[in-house]
Amino acid sequence: MSVSTIVSSVAKSRSAFLCQSVRPFTTVQNGHKSSQTSVDPSTVSHHSKLAENWWDDSGFLKALQSMNSLRVPLVRDGLFQTGAACSDRKNTPRPLEGLNIVDVGCGGGLLSEPLARLGASVTGIDASAELIEIAQQHAQLDPSLQNRLTYIHTLAETHACEAEAKYDAVVSSEVIEHVKDKHFFIEQCTKLLKPRGSLFITTLNRTTLSWLGGVVMAEYVARLVPQGTHQWELFIQPSELQIMLEKYGCFTKLLHGMCYNPLTDEWHWSQNVSINYAIHAVKTD
């Protein structure tokens, strides 16, 4: 199949997505039913099918695994910069000792585990029961994670009602590009934060280049991820995300571009935010 045929096929899929009707979930918050939700059932189903191969370092999620080379230091260093992490512990094996972190949309635990190994008390939440089960099974392989890592099958909005202002940091990596109601999602994430707490997000920008690289090349040409993983219309531009963060009481401390080399399976920081980027925001008092 030629590249032009692939591009035409993906473009038709985009048009179909724009025309489709989405039936909202019904969730319960504070005893009242709400049609607002941070998850899309089709997305949960799609990712649940990948559960058995979530930790396969040569499979579809290997780029997500290697992304830890950037996102783990992003969280660690960001928490030292804000003063949440004690400077005396910076060069110790567990520099994040004493901090509470929630990984929203944790999947099978690829990011939750290394953060817990840095000493933090980590809670991973996800809407997929299958992924939470895989995360729990994998965590059992490392006894050092016991009492440091907890997984819960729940939604962000449900957990925000149960653990409001509990966490020193909220991490949500490669999640918001799958969320339709982004304002609602960001609101729930900020509710989970303590005052002066940090919110770390990695995601995809909505540009022509991200459509060509993040959808056409990644899903249909190089097949780095399964087809249908991403909907370009749900990608979010950094300026849009920053406005949302400000609306819910957070200011942007850092914005970095992220560049992936599929030939070497390596990630690098970049000034270019046209495809992947990371944001560190801090909640005001």
Side-chain angles (χ1 to χ4, degrees), residues 36 176 181-197 199 240-251 281-285:
Q36 277 191 299
I176 197 170
D181 193 340
K182 301 185 192 306
H183 276 276
F184 182 66
F185 179 74
I186 292 296
E187 181 183 15
Q188 305 314 305
C189 288
T190 57
K191 282 182 179 180
L192 289 163
L193 280 176
K194 297 176 181 178
R196 303 297 300 172
L199 174 55
E240 297 170 336
L241 183 51
Q242 287 175 295
I243 290 171
M244 292 182 195
L245 290 166
E246 290 174 7
K247 178 179 179 180
Y248 297 108
C250 296
F251 65 89
V282 178
K283 187 176 182 179
T284 56
D285 293 330

Side-chain angles (χ1 to χ4, degrees), residues 176-177 182 203-208 210 232-245 255 273-275 277 279:
I176 197 170
E177 67 269 21
K182 301 185 192 306
T203 189
L204 287 151
N205 198 348
R206 193 179 66 257
T207 62
T208 300
S210 72
W232 181 83
E233 289 76 13
L234 293 180
F235 291 4
I236 183 169
Q237 296 177 351
S239 59
E240 297 170 336
L241 183 51
Q242 287 175 295
I243 290 171
M244 292 182 195
L245 290 166
L255 171 63
V273 298
S274 58
I275 301 182
Y277 66 94
I279 277 185

Side-chain angles (χ1 to χ4, degrees), residues 50-66:
L50 303 175
E52 292 299 325
N53 299 311
W54 203 263
W55 285 89
D56 181 357
D57 57 13
S58 62
F60 279 127
L61 295 172
K62 71 174 184 177
L64 199 58
Q65 294 190 38
S66 60

Side-chain angles (χ1 to χ4, degrees), residues 69-130:
S69 65
L70 296 188
R71 53 188 184 172
V72 173
L74 171 72
V75 176
R76 180 197 62 206
D77 296 347
L79 291 173
F80 277 109
Q81 290 167 6
T82 63
C86 180
S87 59
D88 293 342
R89 301 197 62 85
K90 194 166 188 178
N91 297 316
T92 67
R94 293 179 175 174
L96 301 185
E97 188 88 47
L99 297 182
N100 290 315
I101 298 176
V102 60
D103 186 359
V104 178
C106 66
L110 294 179
L111 181 55
S112 300
E113 285 197 13
L115 291 177
R117 291 191 183 97
L118 292 181
S121 176
V122 178
T123 301
I125 67 171
D126 202 279
S128 167
E130 291 86 351

